[in-house]
mmCIF file of all heavy atoms in Angstrom:
data_model
loop_
_atom_site.group_PDB
_atom_site.id
_atom_site.type_symbol
_atom_site.label_atom_id
_atom_site.label_comp_id
_atom_site.label_asym_id
_atom_site.label_seq_id
_atom_site.Cartn_x
_atom_site.Cartn_y
_atom_site.Cartn_z
ATOM 1 N N SER A 126 91.436 103.836 107.549
ATOM 2 C CA SER A 126 90.650 102.800 108.224
ATOM 3 C C SER A 126 89.942 103.411 109.420
ATOM 4 O O SER A 126 90.474 104.330 110.060
ATOM 5 C CB SER A 126 91.542 101.643 108.689
ATOM 6 O OG SER A 126 92.099 100.957 107.598
ATOM 7 N N LYS A 127 88.758 102.884 109.731
ATOM 8 C CA LYS A 127 87.972 103.386 110.848
ATOM 9 C C LYS A 127 87.556 102.220 111.731
ATOM 10 O O LYS A 127 87.064 101.203 111.236
ATOM 11 C CB LYS A 127 86.726 104.116 110.339
ATOM 12 C CG LYS A 127 85.769 104.543 111.438
ATOM 13 C CD LYS A 127 86.362 105.661 112.294
ATOM 14 C CE LYS A 127 85.382 106.141 113.372
ATOM 15 N NZ LYS A 127 85.280 105.161 114.491
ATOM 16 N N GLY A 128 87.774 102.373 113.020
ATOM 17 C CA GLY A 128 87.336 101.364 113.959
ATOM 18 C C GLY A 128 85.853 101.469 114.242
ATOM 19 O O GLY A 128 85.293 102.575 114.315
ATOM 20 N N LEU A 129 85.217 100.325 114.399
ATOM 21 C CA LEU A 129 83.807 100.257 114.756
ATOM 22 C C LEU A 129 83.676 99.495 116.069
ATOM 23 O O LEU A 129 84.667 99.053 116.657
ATOM 24 C CB LEU A 129 83.007 99.565 113.650
ATOM 25 C CG LEU A 129 83.126 100.163 112.243
ATOM 26 C CD1 LEU A 129 82.366 99.298 111.240
ATOM 27 C CD2 LEU A 129 82.616 101.601 112.215
ATOM 28 N N SER A 130 82.474 99.314 116.534
ATOM 29 C CA SER A 130 82.273 98.568 117.770
ATOM 30 C C SER A 130 82.395 97.073 117.524
ATOM 31 O O SER A 130 82.305 96.601 116.387
ATOM 32 C CB SER A 130 80.901 98.900 118.366
ATOM 33 O OG SER A 130 79.867 98.514 117.454
ATOM 34 N N GLY A 131 82.609 96.308 118.589
ATOM 35 C CA GLY A 131 82.621 94.861 118.498
ATOM 36 C C GLY A 131 83.828 94.262 117.827
ATOM 37 O O GLY A 131 83.776 93.119 117.363
ATOM 38 N N GLY A 132 84.931 95.006 117.734
ATOM 39 C CA GLY A 132 86.143 94.476 117.129
ATOM 40 C C GLY A 132 86.221 94.579 115.621
ATOM 41 O O GLY A 132 87.113 93.989 115.003
ATOM 42 N N TRP A 133 85.323 95.361 115.004
ATOM 43 C CA TRP A 133 85.312 95.515 113.550
ATOM 44 C C TRP A 133 86.085 96.761 113.127
ATOM 45 O O TRP A 133 86.016 97.804 113.774
ATOM 46 C CB TRP A 133 83.885 95.634 113.030
ATOM 47 C CG TRP A 133 83.086 94.375 113.128
ATOM 48 C CD1 TRP A 133 82.297 93.980 114.176
ATOM 49 C CD2 TRP A 133 82.982 93.351 112.145
ATOM 50 N NE1 TRP A 133 81.713 92.773 113.913
ATOM 51 C CE2 TRP A 133 82.118 92.354 112.670
ATOM 52 C CE3 TRP A 133 83.538 93.152 110.885
ATOM 53 C CZ2 TRP A 133 81.792 91.197 111.965
ATOM 54 C CZ3 TRP A 133 83.220 91.999 110.180
ATOM 55 C CH2 TRP A 133 82.351 91.051 110.730
ATOM 56 N N ASP A 134 86.813 96.662 112.023
ATOM 57 C CA ASP A 134 87.433 97.795 111.343
ATOM 58 C C ASP A 134 87.027 97.756 109.880
ATOM 59 O O ASP A 134 86.904 96.672 109.296
ATOM 60 C CB ASP A 134 88.962 97.738 111.404
ATOM 61 C CG ASP A 134 89.527 97.983 112.793
ATOM 62 O OD1 ASP A 134 88.756 98.315 113.709
ATOM 63 O OD2 ASP A 134 90.762 97.838 112.944
ATOM 64 N N VAL A 135 86.848 98.931 109.265
ATOM 65 C CA VAL A 135 86.607 99.017 107.827
ATOM 66 C C VAL A 135 87.578 100.034 107.244
ATOM 67 O O VAL A 135 88.009 100.971 107.934
ATOM 68 C CB VAL A 135 85.153 99.429 107.507
ATOM 69 C CG1 VAL A 135 84.179 98.370 107.980
ATOM 70 C CG2 VAL A 135 84.817 100.784 108.129
ATOM 71 N N GLY A 136 87.948 99.843 105.990
ATOM 72 C CA GLY A 136 88.893 100.767 105.384
ATOM 73 C C GLY A 136 88.851 100.724 103.871
ATOM 74 O O GLY A 136 88.184 99.881 103.264
ATOM 75 N N GLY A 137 89.588 101.643 103.281
ATOM 76 C CA GLY A 137 89.684 101.706 101.831
ATOM 77 C C GLY A 137 90.972 102.388 101.414
ATOM 78 O O GLY A 137 91.644 103.024 102.227
ATOM 79 N N PHE A 138 91.321 102.238 100.140
ATOM 80 C CA PHE A 138 92.542 102.867 99.652
ATOM 81 C C PHE A 138 92.425 103.199 98.173
ATOM 82 O O PHE A 138 91.625 102.620 97.433
ATOM 83 C CB PHE A 138 93.763 101.963 99.889
ATOM 84 C CG PHE A 138 93.842 100.761 98.984
ATOM 85 C CD1 PHE A 138 94.474 100.836 97.743
ATOM 86 C CD2 PHE A 138 93.295 99.541 99.363
ATOM 87 C CE1 PHE A 138 94.549 99.732 96.903
ATOM 88 C CE2 PHE A 138 93.361 98.435 98.536
ATOM 89 C CZ PHE A 138 93.992 98.531 97.297
#
Side-chain angles (χ1 to χ4, degrees):
S126 294
K127 174 69 178 75
L129 305 175
S130 62
W133 290 91
D134 290 354
V135 296
F138 73 88

